[in-house]
Amino acid sequence: MDFTKTKNELSQLIGEKKVILKNDGTMDESLFNSYGTDRTKVYPPNYQVLVFPESTEDVAATIAYAYQNEIAVVPSGGRTGYAGGAVAKNGEIVISLSKMNQVVDFDPFLGTLHVQAGMITKNLHKEAEERGFYFPVDFAATGSSHIGGNIATNAGGVRVVHYGLIRDWVLGLTVVNGKGEVYRFNGEILKNNTGYDLKHLFIGSEGTLGIITEAVVKLTKPPKDIRVIFLAVPEYKNILEIFRETHNFDLPLLAFEFLTDYCLDKVKEHLGVPDPFQAPSKYYVLMEFEVTGETDEEKLYSILESITEKELITDGSIAQNSRQNETFWKYREGISESLSLAYTVHKNDISLPLRNMEAFLDEMSSLLNQKYQGFHIALFGHIGDGNLHLNIVKPKDLTDADFFSQCKQVDPEMFTLIQKFKGSISAEHGIGLLKKDYLNFSRSQSEIDTMRAIKLAFDPKGILNPGKVL
Amino acid sequence: MDFTKTKNELSQLIGEKKVILKNDGTMDESLFNSYGTDRTKVYPPNYQVLVFPESTEDVAATIAYAYQNEIAVVPSGGRTGYAGGAVAKNGEIVISLSKMNQVVDFDPFLGTLHVQAGMITKNLHKEAEERGFYFPVDFAATGSSHIGGNIATNAGGVRVVHYGLIRDWVLGLTVVNGKGEVYRFNGEILKNNTGYDLKHLFIGSEGTLGIITEAVVKLTKPPKDIRVIFLAVPEYKNILEIFRETHNFDLPLLAFEFLTDYCLDKVKEHLGVPDPFQAPSKYYVLMEFEVTGETDEEKLYSILESITEKELITDGSIAQNSRQNETFWKYREGISESLSLAYTVHKNDISLPLRNMEAFLDEMSSLLNQKYQGFHIALFGHIGDGNLHLNIVKPKDLTDADFFSQCKQVDPEMFTLIQKFKGSISAEHGIGLLKKDYLNFSRSQSEIDTMRAIKLAFDPKGILNPGKVL
């Protein structure tokens, strides 16, 4: 393919400074490559043309051109994904939304914010805050992830147990389909029962149905004050008991996270932080509550008292201020980084009905102990949502190739177990390239066939992020 | 068509007692007819075969038969719709879900209830309550509406401002498509990012993509205690000010409803209730808050004080107990009945962005005053959601035919105005038969084309509720 021709023709359409050819002297090669990959690092990027649209019209013109010339395109957001959903490895045109990062409009009555898709999530948090509101979708990567990418992957994070997934916060979407046609779904209204809600198809579609260029998100009022409780829990089944007790408690439960002793050790090693408790424990739970005044602070003590009396924990501590909240959160939010910087890991991100979790964990432990002799398993996650991040850690004496090949053999057996317990093989991370071969463990053949039919309706030539999801 | 043959063949497939032929001696004709219509009363039912499946398999067998024989089917729930979505007027097979009304399963951890689609909404409320939980979707027709119908029309109601639409409460759906194939979407897990969320297509699809046979809904904890405040408001713009103030207040705002003086008069006439305030007012607002203790009760007084000081209201009253809550609610919930029993009305159910509401109401008043000389307009609704129920009341001296013909002429002008202000021509009621010709005022041509393509994927022979929505 003549990529110089592609670059020149696209430049004609949307403006020269918005189109970059690899090694044309305007951008360092490794920076260029970084726009065509994500955090998986499994698939080396391989592409030549990078586009920085500045408007929905630019995106539409680019895709209309790609449609006419049958060239594939890959959307590029903050590239913080873990499933290879934003990888360009076959000479696609990469469309980075990063220059589309502005607020378009704001409605102070309901608190809705209309933004371009390339706005960094953390900046959206700030824009909401400056207007007296709060955008509750939050997770470790918000400093670089884009709101458009969050929507395209239906991001979750640490406060899903209270606020839900990003799907619950999207009112309107502007989307360009695989022919370069623009849809403007719903706008900013709360209620609109006029036919099929097509917007929801795009949420979580990982760029395979269209490229999200703008979004109207709902905001809410900020939590008054926040207090974290950190617990040492001796047995898994106690975690569920504690969840049941606190989920139905008076105070809003904003987060309910857990980690194992192995995860805590890795965070301590990596961040150099001290032991949070005097005696070690097999599990740790981090709970976050919204509190408004002194009466609420007293309630925190009554929760801790109640679960202590029931002998569900061996130790527990209530943060006394926001700095201590952050200290406690480090033990949870530092896990991914501590593991990925010091070790090679194979990530799984799964979800189960809470009531099946214990039986699943029993069977899974047997399976993993049998199959992965001598491997460490780092288990943590949003347990209040039934969501486990299950990381297999490569032993030092194994090559990467051998390690990943072993993982690839065990994965299907684990997915079979997940299917048996009615769970999902991808709770948050999506399918992308990484889980594509296993989609049938979570979706029936008729669902997959229907997805293909729907893909065809939006993207008749199959040029949108080809090879991902389906 | 030989309906006796249809009846006999269906009886063979699913059992004789589940299939009824019109006037076969098992059911009174008017009762039979009632299964093939809804509350619009505009379209007389005309059909011969009525099926009462008892399981998803029965529904699948019935639709597979209909697919093979190219006979259309119409799903029949609680028949409380206002858009003609459940009308069988062309000899379709009517499938009533009313015998499928059982609880299938319950998960006490998260509080999820798996039920059959024919469960009456009020009974679902009870099932939740008995298990210590709360299902928050509530509206006047819950005593007869089915949960399946609620989902198929994406029901809203009086507490959307706090709890959202029913869409937000559906985790899993079992659906039979137009070929008789069964989909079981998602089950009971909270997080499942494995491809397109097809379930959302069915929510609000009004039976045109598939028949919902089972649903897993989320439950929440019940509100501790509830207090209603009733306000007399002199000007429309004050309503928005009051909303902004209370929406961001400390206490959870569960409902924010409004009505005009005309509506209040009709309720007083019909229910024989006294004036709630000493002096009449142009508008009335009903606000409902969740309260937990004495401190919260004090907060109610502080809200009332604050809006009184700002001269936003001329009078206001706080309910002192749950009986008085109900008394206040009667002024709002009695409106529809008071109007429809004593008058012929033409209903519109529209939504606007809140910030455009005042300008829209100004222009709409001019339009209606000019076009509907001497007609009364009853305006009320879920104003906190931007949702207005706009009922045109027929003058006594006009025939029904002349009245509806005049309404039909004015509707498109009103819809043009709604489109201008970025609203929806159907906030809650759906499209059905009644609004079908006007779908293009709320959806673009490319959206409508895409909906048709999606319809074809699920219902290739177009036998599912034909003529509705699209």
Side-chain angles (χ1 to χ4, degrees):
Chain A
M1 189 140 76
D2 183 353
F3 290 110
T4 309
K5 180 168 165 277
T6 308
K7 184 228 154 124
N8 290 338
E9 288 174 347
L10 275 173
S11 298
Q12 290 268 318
L13 285 170
I14 62 168
E16 200 174 2
K17 71 177 182 6
K18 300 175 193 165
V19 190
I20 293 176
L21 184 67
K22 189 171 182 177
N23 295 323
D24 67 359
T26 56
M27 190 184 271
D28 170 76
E29 184 171 331
S30 73
L31 178 62
F32 182 93
N33 280 337
S34 73
Y35 282 97
T37 187
D38 69 0
R39 289 193 179 171
T40 44
K41 310 289 180 212
V42 185
Y43 314 96
N46 176 25
Y47 75 104
Q48 304 290 322
V49 179
L50 172 60
V51 180
F52 289 101
E54 293 175 11
S55 65
T56 296
E57 291 65 36
D58 283 350
V59 176
T62 306
I63 299 186
Y65 171 83
Y67 175 71
Q68 246 174 343
N69 294 278
E70 301 195 23
I71 309 173
V73 300
V74 172
S76 173
R79 291 151 288 141
T80 59
Y82 284 120
V87 170
K89 62 185 182 68
N90 299 310
E92 300 94 337
I93 297 171
V94 170
I95 302 180
S96 166
L97 279 295
S98 53
K99 297 248 162 91
M100 292 179 61
N101 56 10
Q102 300 299 306
V103 170
V104 178
D105 203 358
F106 168 66
D107 177 356
F109 283 105
L110 273 180
T112 63
L113 201 57
H114 182 166
V115 298
Q116 290 183 305
M119 177 173 279
I120 287 174
T121 318
K122 206 53 127 190
N123 293 342
L124 177 52
H125 290 166
K126 279 185 210 144
E127 297 286 353
E129 203 182 311
E130 283 168 14
R131 290 164 173 86
F133 285 93
Y134 178 69
F135 184 67
V137 179
D138 203 2
F139 44 90
T142 51
S144 36
S145 75
H146 290 185
I147 187 67
N150 295 162
I151 296 170
T153 56
N154 189 25
V158 291
R159 297 208 173 96
V160 173
V161 73
H162 186 67
Y163 292 106
L165 294 149
I166 204 167
R167 181 184 297 285
D168 303 312
W169 296 90
V170 178
L171 283 181
L173 278 188
T174 304
V175 165
V176 181
N177 75 6
K179 296 200 275 185
E181 293 165 348
V182 178
Y183 295 87
R184 295 184 190 278
F185 296 125
N186 193 59
E188 60 180 82
I189 45 178
L190 281 178
K191 289 162 116 177
N192 186 10
N193 280 344
T194 55
Y196 315 151
D197 195 334
L198 302 177
K199 166 189 79 199
H200 280 287
L201 281 175
F202 290 84
I203 303 172
S205 67
E206 303 184 43
T208 61
L209 298 180
I211 295 188
I212 296 167
T213 59
E214 296 170 39
V216 181
V217 296
K218 275 190 290 186
L219 308 175
T220 185
K221 54 184 168 187
K224 293 279 165 180
D225 203 353
I226 280 174
R227 280 292 170 272
V228 172
I229 302 185
F230 204 26
L231 304 172
V233 188
E235 284 183 81
Y236 179 78
K237 71 176 170 49
N238 297 11
I239 299 179
L240 287 190
E241 285 293 309
I242 297 167
F243 178 69
R244 185 133 84 144
E245 185 127 340
T246 52
H247 190 233
N248 290 305
F249 202 74
D250 255 11
L251 299 177
L253 177 66
L254 303 189
F256 191 91
E257 304 279 313
F258 98 117
L259 48 144
T260 57
D261 49 359
Y262 178 81
C263 298
L264 189 84
D265 285 345
K266 296 301 134 188
V267 173
K268 277 161 47 191
E269 259 175 50
H270 178 68
L271 297 179
V273 287
D275 248 314
F277 301 109
Q278 288 186 319
S281 175
K282 195 153 164 34
Y283 300 100
Y284 299 90
V285 163
L286 186 149
M287 314 192 288
E288 188 183 73
F289 293 94
E290 181 178 359
V291 292
T292 44
E294 271 179 39
T295 347
D296 281 359
E297 302 241 0
E298 280 165 29
K299 286 181 187 167
L300 292 179
Y301 287 95
S302 77
I303 294 173
L304 194 55
E305 235 174 69
S306 158
I307 55 183
T308 307
E309 272 170 21
K310 288 179 181 153
E311 299 184 349
L312 296 170
I313 58 173
T314 52
D315 205 347
S317 180
I318 301 175
Q320 295 306 309
N321 49 48
S322 61
R323 209 169 42 85
Q324 213 173 349
N325 285 341
E326 279 169 36
T327 308
F328 284 169
W329 265 113
K330 268 189 197 153
Y331 292 98
R332 166 63 188 86
E333 294 220 306
I335 300 171
S336 270
E337 196 187 316
S338 306
L339 289 170
S340 62
L341 290 184
Y343 302 88
T344 298
V345 293
H346 173 64
K347 280 174 185 288
N348 271 298
D349 165 44
I350 64 179
S351 83
L352 279 303
L354 269 185
R355 60 175 159 172
N356 295 348
M357 191 66 90
E358 203 181 341
F360 166 78
L361 283 175
D362 279 349
E363 291 199 29
M364 193 201 59
S365 298
S366 314
L367 174 74
L368 297 186
N369 286 336
Q370 182 198 335
K371 299 286 174 176
Y372 286 141
Q373 282 172 16
F375 288 25
H376 283 291
I377 313 289
L379 200 61
F380 62 99
H382 319 297
I383 191 73
D385 315 325
N387 183 181
L388 301 174
H389 296 316
L390 190 155
N391 289 8
I392 322 277
V393 182
K394 185 182 84 64
K396 294 284 177 205
D397 56 0
L398 211 62
T399 66
D400 277 18
D402 283 349
F403 172 66
F404 284 118
S405 129
Q406 282 199 43
C407 293
K408 221 175 151 73
Q409 280 168 30
V410 182
D411 272 352
E413 295 190 54
M414 188 170 70
F415 297 157
T416 303
L417 215 53
I418 292 169
Q419 194 172 28
K420 173 180 160 189
F421 286 105
K422 299 180 180 170
S424 168
I425 62 157
S426 187
E428 292 191 326
H429 293 175
I431 297 295
L433 290 167
L434 205 63
K435 294 279 161 62
K436 194 183 145 178
D437 295 340
Y438 312 109
L439 187 59
N440 63 313
F441 286 96
S442 279
R443 307 296 293 261
S444 69
Q445 193 53 48
S446 58
E447 285 181 76
I448 294 172
D449 292 343
T450 307
M451 286 195 233
R452 283 190 212 282
I454 286 171
K455 161 92 174 162
L456 208 61
F458 288 104
D459 179 23
K461 288 189 181 172
I463 62 165
L464 292 178
N465 218 7
K468 318 290 163 50
V469 183
L470 286 169
Chain B
M1 190 139 75
D2 183 353
F3 291 110
T4 310
K5 179 167 166 278
T6 308
K7 184 224 153 124
N8 290 340
E9 289 175 347
L10 275 173
S11 299
Q12 290 269 317
L13 285 170
I14 62 169
E16 200 174 0
K17 70 175 185 2
K18 300 175 193 165
V19 189
I20 292 175
L21 185 66
K22 188 170 182 176
N23 295 323
D24 67 359
T26 55
M27 190 183 273
D28 169 74
E29 183 170 332
S30 72
L31 178 62
F32 183 93
N33 280 337
S34 73
Y35 282 97
T37 186
D38 68 0
R39 289 194 179 168
T40 44
K41 310 289 179 213
V42 184
Y43 315 96
N46 176 27
Y47 75 103
Q48 304 290 324
V49 179
L50 172 60
V51 180
F52 288 101
E54 292 174 11
S55 65
T56 296
E57 290 65 36
D58 283 350
V59 176
T62 305
I63 299 186
Y65 172 83
Y67 175 72
Q68 244 174 347
N69 294 278
E70 301 195 22
I71 309 173
V73 301
V74 172
S76 173
R79 293 152 286 140
T80 59
Y82 283 121
V87 171
K89 63 184 184 65
N90 299 309
E92 300 94 337
I93 297 171
V94 170
I95 301 179
S96 167
L97 280 295
S98 53
K99 299 248 161 90
M100 291 179 62
N101 55 11
Q102 300 299 304
V103 170
V104 179
D105 203 358
F106 168 66
D107 176 355
F109 284 105
L110 272 180
T112 63
L113 202 57
H114 182 168
V115 297
Q116 289 183 305
M119 176 172 281
I120 287 174
T121 319
K122 205 56 126 189
N123 293 343
L124 177 52
H125 290 166
K126 278 184 213 145
E127 298 285 354
E129 203 182 313
E130 283 168 14
R131 290 164 172 85
F133 285 93
Y134 177 69
F135 184 68
V137 178
D138 202 0
F139 45 89
T142 51
S144 35
S145 74
H146 290 184
I147 187 67
N150 295 163
I151 296 171
T153 56
N154 189 25
V158 293
R159 297 210 173 95
V160 173
V161 73
H162 186 67
Y163 292 107
L165 294 149
I166 204 167
R167 180 184 298 286
D168 303 313
W169 296 90
V170 178
L171 282 181
L173 279 187
T174 304
V175 165
V176 181
N177 74 6
K179 295 200 276 185
E181 293 165 348
V182 178
Y183 295 87
R184 296 185 189 278
F185 295 124
N186 194 59
E188 61 180 80
I189 44 179
L190 282 179
K191 290 162 116 177
N192 187 10
N193 281 345
T194 55
Y196 315 152
D197 194 334
L198 301 177
K199 166 189 80 201
H200 280 287
L201 281 174
F202 290 84
I203 303 172
S205 67
E206 302 183 44
T208 62
L209 298 180
I211 295 189
I212 296 167
T213 59
E214 295 170 39
V216 181
V217 295
K218 274 189 292 185
L219 307 174
T220 185
K221 54 184 168 187
K224 294 279 163 178
D225 203 353
I226 280 173
R227 280 292 170 272
V228 172
I229 301 185
F230 204 26
L231 305 172
V233 188
E235 285 184 79
Y236 178 77
K237 68 177 171 50
N238 298 10
I239 299 179
L240 288 190
E241 286 293 308
I242 297 167
F243 177 68
R244 186 133 81 143
E245 187 127 338
T246 52
H247 190 234
N248 290 306
F249 203 73
D250 256 11
L251 299 177
L253 176 66
L254 303 189
F256 191 91
E257 302 279 312
F258 97 118
L259 48 145
T260 57
D261 49 359
Y262 178 81
C263 297
L264 188 84
D265 284 346
K266 296 301 134 188
V267 173
K268 277 161 45 190
E269 260 175 50
H270 178 68
L271 297 179
V273 286
D275 246 315
F277 300 109
Q278 288 186 319
S281 175
K282 196 155 164 34
Y283 300 100
Y284 299 90
V285 162
L286 186 149
M287 312 189 291
E288 188 183 74
F289 293 93
E290 181 178 0
V291 292
T292 45
E294 270 179 40
T295 347
D296 281 359
E297 301 241 0
E298 280 166 30
K299 286 180 187 166
L300 292 179
Y301 287 94
S302 77
I303 294 173
L304 194 56
E305 235 173 69
S306 157
I307 55 183
T308 306
E309 272 170 21
K310 288 178 181 153
E311 298 185 349
L312 296 171
I313 59 171
T314 53
D315 207 346
S317 182
I318 301 175
Q320 296 306 309
N321 48 49
S322 62
R323 209 169 42 84
Q324 213 173 344
N325 284 343
E326 279 170 35
T327 308
F328 285 167
W329 265 113
K330 267 189 196 151
Y331 291 98
R332 166 64 188 85
E333 293 220 308
I335 301 171
S336 270
E337 195 187 316
S338 306
L339 289 169
S340 64
L341 290 183
Y343 302 88
T344 298
V345 293
H346 173 63
K347 279 174 185 290
N348 271 298
D349 165 46
I350 63 180
S351 83
L352 278 304
L354 268 184
R355 59 174 160 173
N356 296 347
M357 190 67 91
E358 203 180 342
F360 167 78
L361 284 174
D362 279 349
E363 290 198 30
M364 194 202 59
S365 297
S366 315
L367 175 75
L368 298 186
N369 286 337
Q370 182 199 336
K371 299 286 175 177
Y372 286 142
Q373 283 173 17
F375 288 25
H376 283 292
I377 313 290
L379 201 60
F380 62 100
H382 318 298
I383 191 73
D385 315 326
N387 184 182
L388 301 174
H389 295 317
L390 190 154
N391 289 8
I392 322 276
V393 182
K394 184 181 84 65
K396 294 284 178 205
D397 56 359
L398 210 64
T399 65
D400 276 18
D402 282 350
F403 172 67
F404 284 119
S405 129
Q406 281 199 42
C407 294
K408 220 178 153 71
Q409 279 167 32
V410 182
D411 272 352
E413 296 190 53
M414 190 169 70
F415 297 157
T416 304
L417 216 53
I418 292 168
Q419 194 171 28
K420 175 181 159 188
F421 286 106
K422 298 180 179 169
S424 169
I425 62 159
S426 188
E428 292 190 327
H429 294 175
I431 297 295
L433 290 167
L434 205 63
K435 294 281 161 62
K436 193 184 146 177
D437 295 341
Y438 312 110
L439 186 58
N440 63 313
F441 285 97
S442 280
R443 306 296 294 262
S444 69
Q445 193 53 48
S446 58
E447 286 181 76
I448 294 172
D449 292 343
T450 307
M451 286 194 234
R452 283 189 211 282
I454 287 171
K455 161 93 174 158
L456 206 61
F458 288 103
D459 179 23
K461 288 189 181 171
I463 62 164
L464 291 178
N465 217 7
K468 318 290 163 49
V469 184
L470 286 170

